[in-house]
């Protein structure tokens, strides 16, 4: 009461909502303490701070002396708070990178959903699934909740993907039979090149021209992007040709590449040797780190080796090559490494 000499308790005025007073004999409303930030009270004449109710989990209030729960503001989508009585928006916890939440006033991190496979987000507090960034065309990712573009792996050679956000490697489409592509991360079928005349590929997904199969000795083919051995025609009677011949004019009475001896008595070069030209010349030993089967006009780099400037060089650390051929070594997938050189299997890539 502010009146002196009062004779009745009727002159005592209650502290208003959002306030309380612990002691008796107060002479001024200024003595009424206000509920702190993060709390509120609709009670009048309160005698304890215990009447100040805390804002619910998932909410906050910077207001001092709040009189209603309506002053408690919701943590925005992309954030949550498991605690009560939060005083500022900064008390709301952001969903971590790679996650999003569309739920306002969320009370648990369980409301934060991982970005789907094929997507990633380096940012925190994402409030919509659209905040997750799709992996580019030519790549895919199987990771949930990815936080970096490095999880988007390139489609392997022999495949391509024109779409974005691919979540499995099978979304990378195979180059068709009769074609090949040495490009990783290809984004269209235009990357698939035709097997040259004299060769064919009867299965899809070839990753190098060396996967195109040569027409056999004594045969030729003028067809580009051939898909079957049936396109290989036999040389005229009494003539022969090197494997992979692309015209009837290549048929002659000389020993073809990969064979040696006198005309009419040609014999195949042994495995591990080659002869690049037609004639009666000798078969030569394959260079270091290369090999061949019998009757070959060239040698291919061994598994674990790639051709660099005409020489077979061991795969460097972090790479491997499982097949025989002159293609490039493949890098270990994201999150794995290999300290080995000349590795011939992905099993050398460790976590």
């Amino acid at each position: 009461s502010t009146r002196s000499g009062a004779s009745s308790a009727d002159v005592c005025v209650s502290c208003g909502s959002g306030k309380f007073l612990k002691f008796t004999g107060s002479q001024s409303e200024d003595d009424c303490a206000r509920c702190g930030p993060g709390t509120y009270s609709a009670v009048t004449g309160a005698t304890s701070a215990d009447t100040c109710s805390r804002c619910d989990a998932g909410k906050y209030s910077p207001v001092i002396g709040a009189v209603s729960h309506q002053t408690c503001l919701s943590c925005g989508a992309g954030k949550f708070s498991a605690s009560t009585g939060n005083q500022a928006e900064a008390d709301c916890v952001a969903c971590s990178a790679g996650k999003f939440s569309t739920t306002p006033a969320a009370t648990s991190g369980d409301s934060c959903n991982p970005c789907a496979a094929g997507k990633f987000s380096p940012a925190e507090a994402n409030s919509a699934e659209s905040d997750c960034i799709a992996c580019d065309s030519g790549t895919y990712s199987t990771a949930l909740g990815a936080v970096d573009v490095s999880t988007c792996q390139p489609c392997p050679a022999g495949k391509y993907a024109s779409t974005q956000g691919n979540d499995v490697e099978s979304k990378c489409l195979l180059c068709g039979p009769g074609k090949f592509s040495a490009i990783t991360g290809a984004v269209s079928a235009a990357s698939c090149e035709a097997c040259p005349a004299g060769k064919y590929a009867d299965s899809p997904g070839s990753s190098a021209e060396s996967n195109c199969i040569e027409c056999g000795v004594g045969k030729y083919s003028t067809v580009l992007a051939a898909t079957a051995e049936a396109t290989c025609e036999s040389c005229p009677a009494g003539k022969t040709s090197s494997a992979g011949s692309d015209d009837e004019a290549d048929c002659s009475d000389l020993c073809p590449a990969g064979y040696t001896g006198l005309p009419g008595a040609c014999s195949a070069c042994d495995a591990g040797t080659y002869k690049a030209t037609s004639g009666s010349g000798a078969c030569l030993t394959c260079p270091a780190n290369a090999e061949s089967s019998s009757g070959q006009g060239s040698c291919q780099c061994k598994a674990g080796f790639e051709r660099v400037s005409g020489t077979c060089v061991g795969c460097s650390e972090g790479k491997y090559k499982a097949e025989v051929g002159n293609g490039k070594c493949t890098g270990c997938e994201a999150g794995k490494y290999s300290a080995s050189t000349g590795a011939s299997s992905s099993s050398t890539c460790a976590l």
Side-chain angles (χ1 to χ4, degrees):
S1 171
T2 60
R3 295 173 58 182
S4 61
S7 60
S8 171
D10 292 342
V11 299
C12 296
V13 181
S14 296
C15 290
S17 300
K19 298 179 180 181
F20 62 92
L21 185 60
K22 294 182 178 180
F23 56 88
T24 61
S26 174
Q27 300 178 15
S28 170
E29 185 179 3
D30 292 341
D31 293 332
C32 297
R34 292 186 292 176
C35 292
T39 66
Y40 64 92
S41 175
V43 178
T44 59
T47 60
S48 169
D50 292 342
T51 59
C52 299
S53 301
R54 298 168 68 87
C55 289
D56 292 338
K59 296 189 175 185
Y60 68 95
S61 174
V63 178
I64 298 174
V67 300
S68 169
H69 67 86
Q70 293 179 343
T71 60
C72 300
L73 305 175
S74 296
C75 291
K79 297 181 178 181
F80 67 94
S81 176
S83 61
T84 60
N86 297 305
Q87 300 178 13
E89 186 178 8
D91 295 329
C92 300
V93 181
C95 290
S96 58
K99 295 186 176 184
F100 71 94
S101 173
T102 60
T103 306
T107 61
S108 167
D110 292 341
S111 64
C112 301
N113 302 303
C115 290
K119 298 182 177 183
F120 67 94
S121 176
E124 297 181 340
N126 295 309
S127 59
E129 186 175 5
S130 58
D131 293 330
C132 300
I133 304 167
C135 291
D136 284 339
S137 301
T139 66
Y140 71 96
S141 173
T142 60
L144 288 172
V147 302
D148 191 81
V149 68
S150 64
T151 57
C152 302
Q153 298 297 302
C155 290
K159 298 183 177 184
Y160 66 93
S162 57
T163 56
Q164 296 181 328
N166 299 303
D167 56 3
V168 287
E169 186 184 333
S170 61
K171 296 285 181 71
C172 300
L173 305 179
L174 297 170
C175 289
K179 295 188 176 183
F180 70 93
S181 174
I183 300 172
T184 57
V187 301
S188 82
S191 63
C192 302
E193 301 180 54
C195 288
K199 298 182 179 182
Y200 66 94
D202 53 10
S203 59
S206 294
S207 59
E209 184 180 341
S210 59
N211 296 138
C212 299
I213 305 167
E214 294 180 326
C215 290
V217 173
K219 294 187 175 184
Y220 69 93
S221 174
T222 60
V223 179
L224 289 171
T227 61
E229 186 180 10
T231 58
C232 302
E233 301 183 56
S234 296
C235 286
K239 294 189 175 185
T240 189
S241 66
S242 301
S245 293
D246 59 8
D247 194 274
E248 186 179 351
D250 296 329
C251 298
S252 71
D253 55 5
L254 298 175
C255 290
Y259 288 72
T260 187
L262 298 175
C266 302
S267 58
C269 293
D270 292 335
T273 67
Y274 72 102
K275 179 169 155 280
T277 59
S278 60
S280 57
C283 300
L284 304 176
T285 300
C286 287
N289 304 317
E291 63 182 73
S292 70
S293 56
S294 63
Q296 297 302 307
S298 63
C299 300
Q300 305 289 314
C301 291
K302 295 179 178 180
F305 294 82
E306 63 182 348
R307 187 173 292 277
V308 179
S309 301
T311 302
C312 295
V313 179
C315 294
S316 58
E317 294 178 358
K319 294 185 176 183
Y320 67 94
K321 177 168 158 278
E323 69 282 346
V324 175
N326 294 329
K328 295 296 184 181
C329 299
T330 302
C332 292
E333 63 183 61
K336 294 187 176 183
Y337 71 95
S338 172
S340 301
T341 57
S344 59
S345 170
S346 61
S347 63
T348 59
C349 299
L351 292 171

